[in-house]
Amino acid sequence: MMMRLSPGIRFQSHPFFNPHKPTSLHVQIEPLKRRNFSKISDDDAFDAAAYESERLSLDAVAMENMAETAKKEIESDPKAWKWIIRKKMWDLMEARNYAMSPRPVHHRIPNFVGAADAAAKLAELDAFRMAGVVKVNPDSPQKQIRFLTLSGEKKLLTPQPRLRTGFFSVLESDFLKPETIREACTSVGVAKYGRAIGLDEKIKVDLIVLGSVAVNPQTGARLGKGEGFAELEYGMLRYMGAIDDSTPVVTTVHECQLVDDIPLEKLAIHDVPVDIICTPTRVIFTNTPIPKPQGIYWDKLSPEKLRQIRILRELKRRLEKESGCKLPTGPSEKLPPTAERKRR
C-alpha cells in the first residue's frame, strides 16, 4: 500500500546532478574535549544515569518551540513541501496507532508496529549476511537491527547523538558479554561500550541502514525527520573513503510510510536515496535513479548547522588549512524543532 500525502505533486524525470565534485581529503581529527563517556578506564565506573541526564538535558535545550515553530513554517513557506509530508505521516501514524513508544512520533524517526519484523526481513538480505561492518542509525525502530548486527558477530558503526559529542562509535561483539549486547544497542550502551572514532579511522562500511519518515518504493527517494544528520554522516563517510556509490543503503519502515509523492525534481544534491526498503511483510529493491552524494556540500551547509556540530567545524578548518582556500558556507536557516520528550 502506498499513500499520497501531498495532493497535486506529480513525478517528473529526475535530472541527474552535475555538481562540482567535493574534494576528498583525509584529515586527522583529535578527540573533542567534553565529558568523555566513551573511554572509561579500568578504575572508573560508567555513570549511566549521569550520561542519560546530560543527553536528555541537551535534547531539551534543542527542542524549544517544537510543534508551534514547525506549524508556522509550514503555513508561511509554500516551499516547505517536505514538512507537509512529514507532518501528515506523523499525524497518520498516531491516528491509526501504527506508532510505538517513544510517542508522540512527531519530529522523530517514528518507531512503528512491526519494526522487529522489518528488521528480520533486513537480516535475510545477502547484503546484511555478507557484511562485516554495518552502519545503523541510533533511532528506536532500528534498535533490533543494531542487536542483530552485534549478535551476528559484525561490527556496528553508529553515530553519537546528533553528532553532538563527537562522530561515530564502533561496537564489536568480541568485546561484549552476551548479557550486555541488548544494552549496547541503546544510546547509553553505545557510550558505555563503544569506541569513539574520528575521521582518520580506516574502516570499510559494507551496509548503511537509515531510518525514514517516508520513502518512495518506486524511486528510493527518502525523507528523514528533517535535521539532516543522515546526509552529513553519509558525506563524512565518503570523505573517509569508508563508502562509495556501490555501498547499499537500506531503510526499514511501516507499510503506511510508503508514499508516491516525493517529487524527485525538488530533492537536494545531498539527499541520500535508498536502494532497499524492508517493511514487516516484504523487501523492495528500488533500483533508484537518484545519484548518491559524493561528500559534504559546504555551500549547502548553513552557519547554524555548522555551529551545531563541532566535528564539522573542525573538519572545515582543517580542510581550509590543507587547501589554503576558504570553503563556502550555505545560506542561513532556522533549524527544525526536535522531538518532544515526556519525562516520567
Side-chain angles (χ1 to χ4, degrees):
M1 175 181 67
M2 283 197 300
M3 306 199 68
R4 174 170 290 277
L5 296 179
S6 299
I9 298 177
R10 297 185 179 181
F11 288 117
Q12 297 180 10
S13 297
H14 184 267
F16 276 76
F17 298 112
N18 185 23
H20 296 294
K21 187 175 181 181
T23 303
S24 181
L25 184 59
H26 297 285
V27 296
Q28 177 79 26
I29 300 294
E30 296 299 326
L32 298 167
K33 299 299 182 182
R34 188 183 180 80
R35 293 183 64 184
N36 193 337
F37 289 102
S38 300
K39 296 181 179 180
I40 308 296
S41 71
D42 294 336
D43 298 327
D44 294 331
F46 179 82
D47 191 338
Y51 174 84
E52 186 69 355
S53 176
E54 182 174 2
R55 185 177 71 85
L56 291 174
S57 176
L58 291 168
D59 277 353
V61 171
M63 74 179 188
E64 293 179 1
N65 300 321
M66 180 199 61
E68 190 61 30
T69 299
K71 181 180 178 181
K72 289 179 180 178
E73 288 181 355
I74 289 173
E75 292 175 347
S76 63
D77 184 2
K79 296 181 180 179
W81 61 272
K82 288 184 177 181
W83 284 107
I84 293 172
I85 296 175
R86 290 183 184 112
K87 184 179 186 303
K88 289 185 177 181
M89 181 57 68
W90 288 322
D91 289 346
L92 173 74
M93 296 187 75
E94 285 290 346
R96 297 190 181 179
N97 262 336
Y98 295 149
M100 294 182 65
S101 179
R103 296 175 74 172
V105 294
H106 294 76
H107 306 284
R108 302 180 192 275
I109 296 296
N111 198 7
F112 59 90
V113 174
D117 293 329
K121 289 289 184 185
L122 185 148
E124 295 172 358
L125 296 173
D126 287 341
F128 181 81
R129 288 201 298 262
M130 297 172 63
V133 180
V134 182
K135 184 264 184 186
V136 187
N137 59 297
D139 300 283
S140 296
Q142 283 73 44
K143 182 178 179 181
Q144 180 66 8
I145 300 171
R146 297 192 292 276
F147 173 76
L148 292 172
T149 298
L150 289 174
S151 60
E153 300 183 348
K154 305 176 189 296
K155 287 185 181 181
L156 171 64
L157 182 69
T158 191
Q160 297 179 12
R162 290 189 168 86
L163 300 178
R164 189 164 46 207
T165 58
F167 187 35
F168 284 99
S169 293
V170 174
L171 294 96
E172 300 182 53
S173 57
D174 290 346
F175 300 102
L176 296 170
K177 297 178 181 178
E179 61 269 21
T180 62
I181 289 181
R182 286 278 180 195
E183 182 187 5
C185 299
T186 66
S187 58
V188 170
V190 169
K192 185 175 181 179
Y193 301 111
R195 175 176 65 87
I197 68 170
L199 291 169
D200 60 309
E201 183 84 7
K202 302 301 181 185
I203 190 169
K204 175 70 167 60
V205 176
D206 302 303
L207 181 67
I208 293 176
V209 180
L210 302 179
S212 300
V213 173
V215 63
N216 187 315
Q218 297 171 344
T219 66
R222 164 196 170 272
L223 297 184
K225 62 179 178 285
E227 293 185 298
F229 289 109
E231 288 75 20
L232 291 172
E233 293 156 10
Y234 187 94
M236 285 188 277
L237 288 173
R238 291 294 295 241
Y239 271 113
M240 293 169 63
I243 59 174
D244 56 30
D245 283 343
S246 68
T247 307
V249 179
V250 189
T251 191
T252 57
V253 294
H254 191 276
E255 284 282 334
C256 78
Q257 292 174 264
L258 301 178
V259 302
D260 66 355
D261 59 351
I262 302 177
L264 294 184
E265 71 277 7
K266 291 187 178 182
L267 292 178
I269 193 173
H270 55 264
D271 286 329
V272 180
V274 299
D275 301 293
I276 307 171
I277 303 168
C278 296
T279 77
T281 59
R282 56 177 170 155
V283 175
I284 303 167
F285 292 86
T286 68
N287 297 312
T288 179
I290 305 169
K292 291 178 178 174
Q294 301 299 299
I296 294 174
Y297 297 91
W298 299 99
D299 60 335
K300 308 295 183 184
L301 190 63
S302 71
E304 291 81 8
K305 180 62 74 174
L306 195 61
R307 284 196 295 268
Q308 191 182 52
I309 304 173
R310 288 176 294 164
I311 196 167
L312 272 180
R313 298 196 302 272
E314 180 65 19
L315 172 59
K316 187 176 184 182
R317 283 194 296 266
R318 289 172 180 260
L319 287 173
E320 289 175 337
K321 183 177 180 180
E322 289 282 342
S323 66
C325 300
K326 187 172 179 61
L327 291 170
T329 300
S332 182
E333 68 172 330
K334 188 170 186 178
L335 295 178
T338 54
E340 179 182 9
R341 292 188 177 273
K342 293 184 178 179
R343 294 178 179 270
R344 299 182 178 180

